[in-house]
Amino acid sequence: MLIVTPKLKYINGQLYLEEVEVKKIIEKFSTPIYVYSKNQIIENFKEYKEAFGDRSHLICYAMKANSNCEILRIIKELSGGVDVTTGGELFRALKAGISPKKIVYAGVGKTKEELLYAIENKILLLNIESADETKLLNYLANTKKTKLNIAIRINPEVNTHTLSYISTGEEGTKFGIPISEAVDFVKYIIKNCKNLKLVGLHFHIGSQICTLQPFIEATKKVCNLVRKINLLGIRLKYLDIGGGLGIRYKNENPPTAKQLIKNLLKYIPKDLTVICEPGRYIVGNAGILVSKVLYHKSLKNKNFLIVDASMTDLIRPSFYGAYHNIIPVKLSDYERLPKKYYDIVGPVCETSDFLGKKRKLPDIPNNEYLVVETAGAYGFVMSSNYNSRLRPAEVMVDKDKFYLIRKAENYEDLIRKECKI
Ligand SMILES: Cc1ncc(COP(=O)(O)O)c(C=O)c1O
């Protein structure tokens, strides 16, 4: 049976994450529930760190992948920074104790309030994405009587061969300044934006990219641009190469962080500090979503397992058609029992509410449990209250211990923000 999560294993027919029996977590906190392996997060982060060797660098974890403050605290302990994309993420990062000097902020639609929040907290870099944003930022910096360090997010226009919804560096996406317009854009900043200091370039070409080639192509193109900008008399300090490295959900074979970074460093001038923004790679394979089988239902040529997790907990299958491997918590007799194809579906009133389709599984009885693997990234953070569903709890496992890092919601939470008329 395929298991893709490195820290998951069966011992005497029971599933363990690190040294904790998953059943014990269910008994304490019920389902559906997200569970993360602390030591997998640490290993993933260290892999990036070690790949840089003695090259000047900063790893800014892309917290959009999973923004629980406990995960941010782990990143902080490892001397990491974060990449934020909203004022809300900046708030979380500061609350978790991440130094503003290790925060970079990209996003096509930063509001005036968000820009001011970032300026007031003196974050390392604002990565600007349009001429309008640049004008507003220059104006705000002027009112604050400050000169701001900025980077330009470049769209290097490369083909990423990933899902179209998570490809950001191809021609025609809303992200960044098209590379063909970048030199003119820099000239515009030099001439008109006296309160902005261009210190870096940034690119992020997409997510779940499983080959080196698009990263190499983008890096070469942007490093060529660095040289052109040098000729305009500007010495850049930072090159932010974004995130986007793919992980294994099924049978993908993406490069490792070490392979990626070692290859890209060859093209990057040595005087630049390299910032990278991995998200999925840090937390994706550290997390699982555990769910209870509620009912079985069979049609003429289809079998459903109806479970207590749904698209409101993990939207990736219905949103992107993404694949997550699904395995039972109790393995006993797995190999011996006859298997059938099941669609694993949730309780939400949408036909698109599924976690997996046509999965070959033994008959897992009602009230037994399933694990949806590789759910640590873009899982809980994309959860919703649609159908007034309650967002699940999150738990961290550390060797033989586990602890709650977010409580499950209750019915009162659903109406807490509503106003009486
Ligand atoms: C600007 C930026 N940086 C980093 C990331 C992280 O990407 P990933 O989780 O694929 O590493 C994203 C994700 O979309 C992003 O938009």
Side-chain angles (χ1 to χ4, degrees), residues 252-272:
E252 303 89 337
N253 194 13
T256 62
K258 193 172 169 190
Q259 287 165 335
L260 175 73
I261 297 302
K262 289 241 176 293
N263 269 285
L264 299 191
L265 285 179
K266 288 187 219 158
Y267 303 99
I268 302 175
K270 292 225 165 48
D271 58 338
L272 292 175

Side-chain angles (χ1 to χ4, degrees), residues 62 64 83 106 153 202 204 206-208 243-245 277-280 378:
K64 58 178 76 69
D83 153 51
R153 177 167 180 177
H202 168 229
H204 168 75
S207 203
Q208 188 53 16
L245 182 55
E277 307 170 340
R280 189 186 305 271
Y378 307 105

Side-chain angles (χ1 to χ4, degrees), residues 115-176:
L115 289 171
L116 280 171
Y117 187 31
I119 295 171
E120 279 155 14
N121 281 288
K122 298 188 169 49
I123 67 166
L124 178 65
L125 275 183
L126 272 154
N127 297 337
I128 52 176
E129 306 222 16
S130 67
D132 280 2
E133 184 192 0
T134 313
K135 280 180 214 158
L136 174 60
L137 194 58
N138 187 53
Y139 167 77
L140 295 175
N142 190 22
T143 59
K144 292 273 167 192
K145 310 244 167 312
T146 179
K147 188 145 184 167
L148 280 182
N149 281 352
I150 58 152
I152 304 172
R153 177 167 180 177
I154 302 294
N155 180 349
E157 299 185 338
V158 295
N159 193 344
T160 51
H161 307 290
T162 185
L163 299 167
S164 63
Y165 278 13
I166 51 177
S167 181
T168 54
E170 297 191 2
E171 198 182 335
T173 74
K174 67 178 175 178
F175 299 100

Side-chain angles (χ1 to χ4, degrees), residues 15 37 41 60 81 92 104 108 119 132 138 161 185 191 218 240 279 289-290 301 304 311 326 368 370 391 407:
L15 195 63
S37 153
I41 296 173
C60 289
R92 277 180 176 276
V104 295
V108 289
I119 295 171
D132 280 2
N138 187 53
H161 307 290
F185 194 73
K191 190 157 170 240
D240 183 340
L289 172 63
V290 189
N301 48 11
F304 293 105
M311 65 188 288
I326 299 178
E368 281 295 335
L370 288 175
R391 284 191 176 89
K407 290 180 191 162

